[in-house]
Amino acid sequence: MQKDKELQQQLYTVAFVDLSIKNILDSSYLFARPEWLDTLFLLLFFGCIGWKLLLQKFTLKTLVATIAFGSIFAYISIRMKYFFLLFSYCGIIGIQNVDLKRVLRYTSITKFIMILIHVIPYIVCLLITPEEIDYVYRNGVQRHYFYIGHPNTFSMYVGWALLEFTYAFYESLSNFCLVAFWFINLLVYHFTDSNTSIIVATVSYSLFLLERYNPKMIAKYITPVARYLYMVLAIFFTVITVWFSSMPAAIRSMYLTLNDVMTGRLLFGSFAYDKFGIAWLGNPNVYLATTTYYQGFWVDTLVFDNTYIYLLVYYGAIALPIISAAFVLIGKDKKKDIGRNVTKILIIAYALFAIMENYANNAVLCFPLLFIGERMYQLYEEKMKIRRNKREETCVSS
């Protein structure tokens, strides 16, 4: 039995280390990998997860539900040719008998190594031949991408790798380490000018330090926030996206101010909704070929750097109520301990990150989605334990 659980742990770890490497290579400007290697990464992931699922125990009800939801996410992923939701779903349902912290120790270190492989030659080039670097600019500010996709992408990898490491080793980390991790994010912000990661890092590490100072107080306030924040934000962005064309002037003014703060993210979503509607199972036809005049504004591209809007009008709106309900369900837990507090802080960080980026659909990059599966299996085991105890009590009494 113990060997079987250890095998499941190893399969899950290999699957997520494999995808961690693949995702960074997908964004890399240093490595041009052949198509067969990309296929090999996918085969290794699905092979390990498939084997892992065969070793798991399912009741008939959970098996039917697993297949039903899996079919939905597989259909969306295949239709859209983006497999982030399917990867995440496989991670959620495959986490039975898995110690997530052990997995994240390997994935975070793997990501650090992959990041350093890109950062070191970038710095060398920056010092010796800076003219060879294609900088990214925003409002005249020079932004560095360190050979990984885009400044925002690089910042995201560093930020979430640090949060993975923090979660995996939280009990053994000093307050100094937590502050140091925030300073690393600040240093990355200095070079990338990426607001999202520094905001998420500031909220996360501030709450971690407060948790160290007064865990009971933190638990009291973050529990309802962690439980309902994703759902509230999903409803909020859905309403303002759908309502934009008929908003009263005063509310539209507030919408446009928020749109400016979010660098146009909202307007792209409203345009896509008006033109293409809600994409319940994904809509690959959401596309803007030329600059278009819309509601008094020129829309020249469709950039859905908001997970809630991205799902609503492009990738698959059905995921919004499913994920929202899942976070509400796992947030019902009333136990108060360090592990629960840290989990809740990271769920809050995840929901906030989703406001400003669409990477949140991928649990390999943004791991708090995996808490859904982890907690659901815990609830299932607790329920089975109660049933066994009741049966034993009935046998003894009879």
Side-chain angles (χ1 to χ4, degrees):
M1 184 67 178
Q2 189 61 37
K3 288 184 177 179
D4 184 62
K5 285 188 176 182
E6 185 59 28
L7 176 58
Q8 293 187 51
Q9 178 79 31
Q10 292 171 356
L11 288 169
Y12 193 93
T13 302
V14 170
F16 268 72
V17 168
D18 167 74
L19 272 195
S20 296
I21 296 171
K22 179 189 179 303
N23 281 336
I24 294 182
L25 288 179
D26 285 343
S27 304
S28 174
Y29 283 95
L30 283 183
F31 302 99
R33 68 189 188 285
E35 187 174 337
W36 65 264
L37 184 58
D38 191 63
T39 302
L40 184 61
F41 278 120
L42 292 174
L43 288 176
L44 181 58
F45 173 79
F46 286 116
C48 287
I49 287 295
W51 189 359
K52 168 76 175 66
L53 291 174
L54 289 174
L55 297 173
Q56 291 186 193
K57 294 180 180 179
F58 294 95
T59 64
L60 180 59
K61 185 185 295 185
T62 57
L63 181 61
V64 170
T66 297
I67 294 173
F69 283 115
S71 299
I72 292 171
F73 292 129
Y75 174 80
I76 292 173
S77 297
I78 293 170
R79 186 183 187 201
M80 300 303 295
K81 298 180 182 177
Y82 288 107
F83 290 82
F84 303 138
L85 276 178
L86 186 58
F87 293 153
S88 298
Y89 183 71
C90 287
I92 290 170
I93 63 169
I95 206 169
Q96 186 184 71
N97 298 322
V98 168
D99 182 344
L100 181 57
K101 289 187 177 182
R102 283 179 60 190
V103 176
L104 295 180
R105 289 168 193 165
Y106 287 100
T107 57
S108 60
I109 293 172
T110 298
K111 289 173 183 177
F112 290 147
I113 293 171
M114 292 295 294
I115 289 167
L116 285 174
I117 288 173
H118 289 77
V119 169
I120 292 173
Y122 187 91
I123 292 176
V124 171
C125 185
L126 185 64
L127 294 174
I128 298 174
T129 56
E131 67 278 1
E132 293 185 6
I133 295 178
D134 295 325
Y135 299 104
V136 177
Y137 290 90
R138 180 173 63 189
N139 298 326
V141 177
Q142 188 181 79
R143 310 174 69 196
H144 297 267
Y145 65 105
F146 295 95
Y147 295 136
I148 297 182
H150 184 276
N152 290 352
T153 306
F154 173 78
S155 180
M156 177 270 299
Y157 277 121
V158 175
W160 279 104
L162 284 169
L163 287 175
E164 284 184 20
F165 190 87
T166 301
Y167 177 69
F169 295 98
Y170 186 78
E171 288 80 3
S172 59
L173 293 175
S174 65
N175 290 345
F176 175 81
C177 288
L178 298 179
V179 174
F181 292 164
W182 179 81
F183 269 105
I184 292 173
N185 278 280
L186 183 63
L187 182 64
V188 170
Y189 170 72
H190 173 74
F191 286 100
T192 63
D193 193 41
S194 179
N195 299 319
T196 304
S197 290
I198 190 61
I199 291 171
V200 171
T202 300
V203 171
S204 300
Y205 290 104
S206 296
L207 289 175
F208 288 146
L209 291 170
L210 286 172
E211 195 281 332
R212 294 279 179 89
Y213 175 73
N214 193 334
K216 290 185 178 179
M217 182 269 290
I218 281 293
K220 177 182 177 181
Y221 290 105
I222 67 171
T223 297
V225 178
R227 187 177 184 186
Y228 296 109
L229 183 58
Y230 187 96
M231 180 184 69
V232 169
L233 290 172
I235 293 172
F236 172 75
F237 285 108
T238 296
V239 169
I240 64 173
T241 298
V242 172
W243 191 26
F244 174 69
S245 61
S246 57
M247 280 180 180
I251 296 178
R252 175 177 284 219
S253 177
M254 290 187 287
Y255 170 99
L256 293 174
T257 299
L258 183 60
N259 180 66
D260 289 338
V261 172
M262 299 183 66
T263 61
R265 289 170 170 83
L266 304 185
L267 190 62
F268 292 130
S270 295
F271 170 82
Y273 168 75
D274 281 354
K275 186 172 178 61
F276 301 99
I278 294 177
W280 288 108
L281 295 175
N283 185 355
N285 297 317
V286 176
Y287 176 70
L288 181 60
T290 59
T291 300
T292 302
Y293 192 72
Y294 170 70
Q295 298 282 338
F297 301 90
W298 288 101
V299 179
D300 58 3
T301 186
L302 293 177
V303 181
F304 303 118
D305 280 340
N306 175 298
T307 294
Y308 309 102
I309 295 174
Y310 180 73
L311 289 171
L312 180 72
V313 299
Y314 180 64
Y315 192 38
I318 196 171
L320 283 172
I322 292 174
I323 297 173
S324 298
F327 276 129
V328 171
L329 177 62
I330 67 171
K332 191 177 181 180
D333 175 37
K334 295 182 180 180
K335 288 186 179 180
K336 298 177 181 178
D337 55 41
I338 292 175
R340 295 286 198 272
N341 287 347
V342 175
T343 297
K344 291 167 185 174
I345 291 170
L346 288 166
I347 290 174
I348 292 170
Y350 174 82
L352 294 176
F353 181 82
I355 295 175
M356 296 166 279
E357 299 290 349
N358 63 32
Y359 300 113
N361 297 306
N362 190 347
V364 183
L365 302 178
C366 303
F367 67 95
L369 268 179
L370 300 175
F371 294 151
I372 294 173
E374 186 179 52
R375 185 62 191 137
M376 283 184 172
Y377 281 123
Q378 288 174 356
L379 290 171
Y380 174 77
E381 290 297 327
E382 291 170 6
K383 186 177 181 180
M384 291 299 101
K385 185 177 180 180
I386 292 172
R387 286 184 178 180
R388 286 195 298 269
N389 291 339
K390 285 184 178 180
R391 282 199 298 266
E392 290 174 2
E393 290 174 1
T394 302
C395 291
V396 170
S397 60
S398 61

